[in-house]
Amino acid sequence: MLAQPLRPGLPSADAASRPAGLLELASYPRADLSIVRVNGARHAFRVWVADTSERQMQGLMFVRDLPADEGMLFVHERPRVANMWMKNTFVPLDMLFIDARGRIVTIIENTTPHSLDTLSSGRPVLGVLELRGGEVARRGIRTGDRVVHAAFRGRR
């Protein structure tokens, strides 16, 4: 059961089983994003943008399915060490930590659902991209690859 449909027509949890205060995923801004590999290969994704502290705190919690070409982008006001966790997250995720220039600097693959372990960028980043677990390996994405999205334009 999904807390909020990821695509029109998919069922969402009924009101009685949804945690109080849960944001509708449909209320998050949507954007197109690409990852350009060092070898020039390009991978396109449609992402929800977690652009407020409330949206960032919820992230993909309670989502039960994440299509291969979708994800969530967390964007910070300024670079900082990003610390994430998997509380109430039902699907394994690949987390890509992105510097202000759009370069992937750290990758954590196939996170453990519901884990409270801290998953850290280890250095200041401007954003974090969460994809379905296994997509990084399947697509050959590596540190040094570039994320193309408006949040990273014009930064050095």
Side-chain angles (χ1 to χ4, degrees):
M1 188 167 19
L2 294 173
Q4 164 61 33
L6 290 176
R7 294 186 180 188
L10 291 179
S12 63
D14 60 57
S17 65
R18 290 181 58 183
L22 185 67
L23 298 172
E24 295 288 335
L25 196 54
S27 71
Y28 285 53
R30 294 290 301 228
D32 293 318
L33 172 149
S34 294
I35 296 176
V36 180
R37 296 196 40 221
V38 172
N39 69 6
R42 181 179 290 262
H43 301 281
F45 298 92
R46 184 83 176 142
V47 297
W48 289 273
V49 181
D51 58 347
T52 67
S53 59
E54 187 177 33
R55 288 176 177 148
Q56 289 178 359
M57 285 184 356
Q58 181 175 313
L60 290 171
M61 285 183 179
F62 305 104
V63 171
R64 302 264 184 174
D65 180 50
L66 186 62
D69 61 348
E70 298 189 13
M72 183 168 285
L73 178 65
F74 296 75
V75 180
H76 309 296
E77 288 184 30
R78 64 187 63 80
R80 65 176 177 84
V81 173
N83 294 305
M84 311 291 278
W85 66 356
M86 293 292 291
K87 180 179 181 180
N88 298 319
T89 305
F90 289 84
V91 295
L93 299 172
D94 290 343
M95 294 184 183
L96 294 77
F97 297 89
I98 309 157
D99 72 12
R101 298 173 303 137
R103 296 286 173 196
I104 299 170
V105 295
T106 304
I107 298 174
I108 300 175
E109 296 182 57
N110 280 308
T111 59
T112 303
H114 303 288
S115 173
L116 299 181
D117 293 343
T118 300
L119 305 167
S120 179
S121 61
R123 61 207 254 179
V125 295
L126 187 63
V128 181
L129 175 61
E130 293 181 339
L131 301 173
R132 181 174 75 179
E135 286 306 306
V136 163
R138 190 173 77 76
R139 297 170 187 259
I141 297 168
R142 303 282 181 259
T143 59
D145 291 347
R146 185 170 47 94
V147 174
V148 179
H149 180 271
F152 309 107
R153 286 194 191 128
R155 299 194 182 248
R156 297 182 177 191

